[in-house]
Structures are given as C-alpha cells and as structure tokens.
Amino acid sequence: SQFYHTLSDGVVMPLVRMCLNPELAHNLAVEAAKGGWAPTYRSAGREDDGWRVQMGSAPFGGDRNRGLVFPNPVGLAAGFDKDGVAVRGLMELGFGFVEVGSVTPLPQPGNPRPRMFRLTEDRAVINRYGFNSTGLDAVEQNLREFVEQRDAPIDASTVGSSSSSQSLGEVWKQIMTEGNEDEDKALRVAKTLASYIISLVPMPNLNRPKSTTSGILGVNLGKNKTSTDEVADYTRGIRQLGPYADYLVVNISSPNTPGLRGLQRREPLQRLLDATVAERNALPPTKSEIPLLVKIAPDVTDQELEDIAAVVQEAGVDGVIVSNTSTSRPESLISSHRKEGGGLSGAPIRQMSTDCIRKLYGLTDGNVPIIGVGGVGSGHDAYEKLKAGASLVEIYSMMVYEGPGAVSRIRSELADLMVQNGQRRLEDVIGLDHEDIYWKKREERMKAERSAETVIVEE
C-alpha cells in the first residue's frame, strides 16, 4: 500500500540512519527482506512487453525465444544480499533481477570494522568490506532452497500474524547469550532485533505475488583474499553455483581486495575470461548457455577500457557491468567521512559511471550488453544510463537514502519519461547517445521484424 511505502521510506529509513551504524542497518534491512517485510512493488500500469530485455545467445532484437529475458530493466546490485538469504523478498520489491554476492570459494570475514560509512551530505557511501562471505557451500545451500521454492505460493495470511511475548530486556539477553559463538555479533543483533520489531507490528494480508518466477537471479563471484590462483577461484564458483544462477558475474573490480583490479589488464583478463567462459560452457546442458558477465571499475583508463572491450568480445563474454565503486574522491565531497579508505558509490560517481558506459558502448559498436550501475536514484538517472548504452541498470547505495520504495519510483519515473518521448520499448532508448549505432540497430530490428512477419504469412 501507499501507506506502507510512506511509512518505510519516510519514517523507518530516517530513524534507521539516525539510530544505527551503516553495517548494522544493512544487516537489519537484509533480515527484513528475508522475512518478507519490505514494501512490495506498486505497479504504475505503464509497463508492457516493451520493457522486456534480452541477454544471451540471441542479440537484442533477435529471436525472443532464445537467450535470457529480463522482465524489467531495474535490478539490485551485488553487495546487498551477499549470501543469497533474501532473494525472494527482494524480488517482491519490484526488481527485475537480483544479483547476490560477491561470493568467495572459502568463507572469509572481510576487513576489520568499521568498514562502511554514510556520506549523507553527498548522498554517497564508502565501503571497504573486502568480500566478506560465508563461502560457496553456504551460499549454494541458500540458492538451492530458493530455486526449489521459487514457484511456491506465499501464504500471505500468515505474514505478521505472530505476536511477541518477550520484553526488550529478554530480547537483549537472547542476543548476548544465544546463537553460534562463531556468528558475527552485529549480524546476530540485527537478526534478533529484526524478528522482535517485526513481531510487534502485525500487518494485514499484504497481497504479495504468489510467484517470483519472473525475477532473474544473478550470482556475482569473487576470489579469496589470500588465494594465489584466481582462475581456480572463479571457475570453482561457476561450477558450484552455475546450476542455480540465471546469469553469472566475474567481479574483478572491487578496490578492497589487494591485486584484484590488476585482473583488468589485457593479458590476465584474457586468460581469466577464456577459462571462465570454458567453465561456463562445461556446465550441464540446461545451464551451459547462461550469460557470463564481467564487472569493471569506473576508474579504468581509456587504454584499459579499449583492452577490456577487445577481450570481452574475443572471449565471447555476454555482457559487462559498469561499474563497481570508485577509489577517486571528487573535490565536491563535503562529508566528514570523505577521506575514508574504500570504494565510493552513490550520487558522486553517477556521471563517471555513465561516461564509462558511453565509451564502452561505442568501443563495442553496441554489440556487448551493458548493465549500468552507479548513482541511480531516479527514473531520470536510469534513463541517462540507457541512453548512454546500458540495457539494464542496477541500484544499491541510493536505497540508503531513497528507501526500498525507490524501486517503484524509478520504474514509474522511467515509464513516464518514455511515454513523454514517444518511446514504447526500451530498445527505443538504449544507445540514443550514439546516433550512428542507434539507427543501424533500429534498422536491423525492423528488418528482423519484417522477416518474421513474412515467415508467419507464408506459413
């Protein structure tokens, strides 16, 4: 309902930012999504099949019975649900796809705390998590459970029906004394408090959708900090989690794992992508064609971007995610946390990311699908990235300030912009900044459509 969205974004989120440190707030948000307590998507009624985006074995505008079809272009970036525990709840927010991870082969705690900082005045975040992960085995179990249950209906009549018989003092005692001794204390606090708070707020039937099959599951893979064989780390991730994913991502651009960004150079990138594509191709027949993407940084030089464009096409990679967080610190930053180490995300890197998308789209003649990430907080931000050459967009950091209702707002605003500009399909927007490529692709689509119509008539 509108009330639930307003309560979540206008009351709960500001209180969370005021009362909880960023990492604890993040863990609490994951638990809320896991429990089905995030507001569900509100349709504006202006989307149709023209919003469907295709990636995979058939190019855009080609055979729509082939390849991976995204139900809408707005997804959740990796980093929010690192271990794949809240996929279904996150899809119900309205995301066309949810990307979990980054997942490392072995469990690792990541960097010491504090490691996440809000730059409120700049509408930005700096994090130096360092690929904290429960590891492939734990995430495999989570994804297996999701895939097995993804078509099962939610009994909405039971949501919020419980009530708490515990006092806050008892809850705190539970936090301090119960649970696995090896479990992260902050995560334990978030889990227990989330359950307690949720039990205090019984809610009526929320009319949740009975299926999440329209949502796409992406799995973002990383390497262990102490690993000396990155190829083995990534190929193991593909082999173990590929059977549960709708697409896979090779993340070589986190600034918080020493040496990782060195994999963006031409020779190591060629070696890594050749190996990961081969590993993907060796998956069981039903998964051997799932899209494999690579995620790059926004800080790459023009020469590095040219090398990346060449290698991804030579290796047969299905797409590129542009971009990860930035190590740069724009002079415009005013927050007291602006000098913290780690990756910068949010509004300050919006233009940097969009510029990188525009360059890569031009270098590949629009032949490599791009997922645009970085500072997307409105429909206009998404529209600009689509015009630059992105086929899809992802959000994460801006939800810290916009709240979970940002998904509904971005989709609604994007639909309004398209209607205002006479555009019915996303294909009418993608790559508009590149006039020559845009009209060439449009002509190719029209020829394909006429050819399909001719076949139907002849039949």
Side-chain angles (χ1 to χ4, degrees):
S1 69
Q2 178 63 50
F3 170 77
Y4 197 35
H5 275 74
T6 301
L7 177 67
S8 174
D9 297 349
V11 178
V12 175
M13 288 300 296
L15 284 174
V16 166
R17 290 195 298 269
M18 182 169 46
C19 300
L20 300 179
N21 71 62
E23 185 163 355
L24 184 56
H26 174 204
N27 292 335
L28 185 63
V30 173
E31 288 301 311
K34 179 181 177 182
W37 284 88
T40 55
Y41 171 63
R42 293 179 292 114
S43 174
R46 292 184 293 278
E47 303 170 10
D48 55 25
D49 285 346
W51 274 59
R52 292 156 65 86
V53 179
Q54 186 170 333
M55 180 181 294
S57 57
F60 291 105
D63 182 356
R64 291 187 177 276
N65 293 317
R66 300 173 60 207
L68 181 62
V69 178
F70 293 74
N72 80 71
V74 182
L76 178 64
F80 183 87
D81 185 2
K82 294 177 180 291
D83 300 318
V85 298
V87 178
R88 181 163 191 161
L90 292 168
M91 286 184 175
E92 289 175 355
L93 281 173
F95 289 112
F97 56 107
V98 170
E99 189 175 311
V100 303
S102 295
V103 188
T104 57
L106 301 176
Q108 61 179 31
N111 293 322
R113 294 184 180 85
R115 54 192 181 180
M116 185 177 186
F117 307 88
R118 299 187 195 100
L119 284 68
T120 305
E121 302 90 338
D122 305 298
R123 294 175 67 76
V125 171
I126 289 176
N127 92 81
R128 50 173 179 262
Y129 274 113
F131 280 172
N132 53 312
S133 174
T134 57
L136 286 174
D137 291 344
V139 175
E140 180 182 12
Q141 179 61 34
N142 294 336
L143 298 187
R144 180 187 296 116
E145 291 175 1
F146 166 73
V147 170
E148 289 174 351
Q149 299 172 7
R150 70 193 305 175
D151 295 325
I154 295 177
D155 184 359
S157 64
T158 65
V159 178
S161 60
S162 64
S163 61
S164 175
S165 60
Q166 292 180 291
S167 69
L168 186 57
E170 291 172 326
V171 170
W172 188 254
K173 182 179 179 181
Q174 178 183 345
I175 292 172
M176 302 306 294
T177 60
E178 296 182 6
N180 187 331
E181 291 183 359
D182 296 328
E183 183 178 28
D184 181 89
K185 178 64 71 64
L187 180 57
R188 210 163 83 218
V189 169
K191 286 180 177 179
T192 310
L193 281 180
S195 298
Y196 175 71
I197 293 170
I198 286 170
S199 71
L200 293 177
V201 190
M203 296 291 291
N205 187 311
L206 300 180
N207 296 317
R208 295 194 184 284
K210 292 187 176 181
S211 172
T212 58
T213 52
S214 63
I216 298 296
L217 173 62
V219 177
N220 185 300
L221 302 170
K223 66 179 286 290
N224 281 114
K225 183 177 182 178
T226 58
S227 173
T228 58
D229 189 346
E230 61 274 355
V231 171
D233 278 15
Y234 288 108
T235 53
R236 178 184 169 186
I238 292 170
R239 191 162 54 249
Q240 194 162 343
L241 299 186
Y244 310 100
D246 295 314
Y247 73 89
L248 294 162
V249 181
V250 176
N251 185 353
I252 55 171
S253 51
S254 169
N256 302 314
T257 297
L260 187 68
R261 288 193 168 187
L263 296 175
Q264 295 176 127
R265 296 195 300 269
R266 183 161 192 149
E267 290 185 5
L269 181 62
Q270 184 79 60
R271 182 172 63 254
L272 176 63
L273 294 187
D274 285 344
T276 51
V277 168
E279 192 67 44
R280 186 276 311 271
N281 293 344
L283 288 171
T286 57
K287 289 292 185 177
S288 61
E289 292 188 356
I290 63 171
L292 178 69
L293 294 83
V294 61
K295 186 169 186 176
I296 67 172
D299 309 298
V300 291
T301 66
D302 288 347
Q303 182 58 57
E304 287 172 332
L305 197 59
E306 289 181 18
D307 290 343
I308 290 169
V311 171
V312 297
Q313 292 179 97
E314 292 169 8
V317 171
D318 297 288
V320 182
I321 299 182
V322 183
S323 64
N324 213 316
T325 57
S326 173
T327 55
S328 68
R329 296 294 183 268
E331 294 182 2
S332 60
L333 296 180
I334 59 176
S335 170
S336 60
H337 294 303
R338 64 187 181 277
K339 294 183 180 180
E340 292 288 348
L344 175 70
S345 59
I349 73 163
R350 179 188 301 130
Q351 193 58 49
M352 182 189 307
S353 164
T354 303
D355 290 343
C356 193
I357 292 167
R358 187 176 293 109
K359 291 176 183 177
L360 183 63
Y361 188 86
L363 288 168
T364 61
D365 286 328
N367 291 323
V368 177
I370 297 170
I371 299 180
V373 198
V376 177
S378 69
H380 180 268
D381 299 335
Y383 191 73
E384 289 299 308
K385 279 183 165 45
L386 294 173
K387 286 172 56 184
S391 300
L392 305 158
V393 298
E394 289 180 336
I395 67 174
Y396 172 15
S397 295
M398 295 301 286
M399 288 178 66
V400 172
Y401 303 103
E402 297 289 335
V407 190
S408 296
R409 288 193 293 274
I410 290 170
R411 288 179 60 173
S412 177
E413 291 167 1
L414 178 57
D416 285 342
L417 279 170
M418 291 175 61
V419 169
Q420 291 168 14
N421 290 285
Q423 296 151 341
R424 284 290 307 275
R425 301 187 301 182
L426 287 168
E427 293 166 338
D428 297 331
V429 183
I430 297 169
L432 259 175
D433 289 348
H434 308 262
E435 188 173 348
D436 291 345
I437 299 175
Y438 177 83
W439 288 107
K440 178 183 176 183
K441 286 190 167 295
R442 183 161 183 167
E443 184 178 354
E444 290 173 352
R445 288 198 304 271
M446 293 175 66
K447 286 181 179 179
E449 290 169 0
R450 286 196 296 267
S451 176
E453 291 172 356
T454 301
V455 170
I456 292 172
V457 170
E458 289 177 349
E459 290 177 348

